[in-house]
Amino acid sequence: MKKLFVLVAVASLSFATSCKQETAKTTETNVTVDSLANDSTAIVTETTTTVLSETDAKAKLDQAKVELDAAKAKGDKVATEAAQKAYDDANTAWTSAKAAVTGAAQDVKDGVNNAAEKVDEKATKAKEDIKDAAKDVAKDAKEVGAKAKQDVKEAGAKAKEGYNNTLDKLKAN
């Protein structure tokens, strides 16, 4: 069961943990009401998340490094500065992707450990409850047995008394 849970956690980790590149998009909408003084403007902000894997981030970093080296080789200052900025952005994205994967892996590991500990605690508690219930059943069975034994003795004594009374009546007749 633990292996299945770990497998599912790792699969979801690899699917869900990747670098997120967020782009903000602002849309302005004019809303006009059929009134003389009521004109209003609504601004709607939408955030689109593009998933970028660690591998893609590393590939972009490598590409930016190649472009930076090419710009330096040409000696073009403007192209070098632009390539350096692109390289810095790609490096930041790659570092973020690595950190996200590491953080998510640790979160999954902690979650698995916590789940295992809780299962162990519940199993121990259930075991204790079963032991207590078994002791209670044994105690109740012992009490029922003792009561049944006492009832049998009393029934035997009454039967003996009834038999003796019947014999006395037969002797008297």
Side-chain angles (χ1 to χ4, degrees), residues 8 20 36 63 69 92 105-106 114 120 146 158 164:
V8 170
K20 290 192 282 184
L36 296 175
Q63 179 64 30
D69 291 341
T92 302
Q106 185 62 38
N114 288 341
D120 289 342
K158 286 181 182 177
N164 286 338

Side-chain angles (χ1 to χ4, degrees), residues 13-105:
L13 171 71
S14 65
F15 177 72
T17 57
S18 58
C19 179
K20 290 192 282 184
Q21 181 180 19
E22 294 187 6
T23 58
K25 175 183 163 186
T26 304
T27 306
E28 187 173 312
T29 306
N30 289 327
V31 179
T32 306
V33 181
D34 288 334
S35 176
L36 296 175
N38 285 337
D39 288 338
S40 62
T41 302
I43 297 176
V44 179
T45 304
E46 297 176 8
T47 303
T48 306
T49 303
T50 305
V51 178
L52 188 63
S53 70
E54 183 181 1
T55 308
D56 293 341
K58 178 66 173 157
K60 286 187 178 193
L61 177 66
D62 293 341
Q63 179 64 30
K65 177 68 174 161
V66 169
E67 290 173 4
L68 177 62
D69 291 341
K72 284 182 180 179
K74 287 182 183 178
D76 187 3
K77 226 165 195 341
V78 174
T80 302
E81 288 176 9
Q84 182 66 45
K85 183 176 180 342
Y87 176 78
D88 292 342
D89 291 344
N91 191 24
T92 302
W94 183 61
T95 305
S96 297
K98 286 194 312 185
V101 168
T102 303

